[in-house]
Amino acid sequence: MPRDITNEIAELVRITSTDLPFVVEKKLRDSQSQEKPGSAAHSAMQTILENVEMTRRNSTPICQDTGTPIFYVNYPQGWNPRELREQIRAAIADATKKTYLRPNAVDPLTGKNTGNNLGDDHFPSIYFKEVDGDVISIDLILKGGGCENVGVQYSLPDTRLQADRDLEGVRRAVLDAVFKAQGEGCAPGFLGIAVGGDRGAGYVVSKEAFLSMFDKTAASPEVKALEERITLEANRLGIGPMGFGGRTTVLGTKILFTQRLPACYFVTVSYMCWAFRRRKMTLTQEGFEYE
């Protein structure tokens, strides 16, 4: 039955901001082992890992840029999206007051910070989807500004890249995006890629890719092979952690597809920094679970 879950959502925010998922930490540790001891890349990874341990222990934000909160809410019939939105906004304000989030909502016209991470309908960003059953789940991504700055969208064909409207063209566009970033956005990071859609849908879907980043499934064996190839070839660029050089630039790649107009073929690349802050809460008849 519907209930007030403001406090539980606030706890989701705290966990997301302060406790990096172990699957991400493992990727970081595995990557550090690939870097030459004593190198700038190895030292950068060591600093990152020490930060991960400290913030988890002290329940402090992983990064001073606590990012844009992006919520994906799957709710069963009977729950009211308007009420859920208000509970989410109240949880965000509470988490900001408790310093699990830094005040980040700034009016682009006046430059004034709201002080509580609440802005218009797009800050925080909240996506609702009604689902069957009686389970409500909320995914939260905290998307930092540094990695958001290096997101990019391509319209294929692109003569500069010799990129046609096919998977090879997608590969060329994505690797160009990684090369241009040159470690900005706090490498090593993750690539969420959308192929298709209009310009707006491309960015929405490319961020949704982060929700399934660690799934082993893909649209087809061909797409899975492309995801792995992009990660491999991006790491061969030698950009490395924080752009210091090294073997680790990209930790994972996920490609999603959405319908497009015949006249358009967009490839949209969203980048997530090493601080891959994504968590999930689920409410069942047995109670709340966080993962």
Side-chain angles (χ1 to χ4, degrees), residues 15 38 48 61-62 68-69 98 110 123 161 166 199 228 232-233 239 244-245 256-257 267:
I15 294 172
I48 287 171
I62 295 168
T68 300
K98 293 177 179 176
T110 65
F123 204 110
L161 300 176
D166 52 26
R199 289 192 180 274
E228 294 173 350
L232 179 65
E233 293 183 347
I239 296 169
F244 292 148
L256 299 182
F257 297 81
V267 177

Side-chain angles (χ1 to χ4, degrees), residues 167-186:
L167 292 186
E168 171 61 17
V170 171
R171 184 187 72 86
R172 288 173 178 266
V174 175
L175 290 177
D176 182 68
V178 175
F179 181 77
K180 283 183 174 179
Q182 286 296 304
E184 293 183 358
C186 297

Side-chain angles (χ1 to χ4, degrees), residues 20-21 24-25 28 44-45 47-49 51-52 55 62-63 147 185-190 242 251 271-277:
L20 197 69
V24 178
E25 182 180 357
L28 290 170
M45 295 297 290
T47 299
I48 287 171
L49 289 166
N51 180 72
V52 169
T55 59
I62 295 168
C63 179
C147 59
C186 297
F190 299 82
M242 300 297 178
L251 296 168
Y271 186 82
M272 180 69 83
C273 65
W274 65 262
F276 192 114
R277 292 164 291 182

Side-chain angles (χ1 to χ4, degrees), residues 25-47:
E25 182 180 357
K26 184 178 186 306
K27 281 187 171 290
L28 290 170
R29 293 192 181 280
D30 290 345
S31 296
Q32 186 193 29
S33 68
Q34 301 299 314
E35 302 294 350
K36 182 179 179 181
S39 66
H42 191 276
S43 296
M45 295 297 290
Q46 183 63 35
T47 299

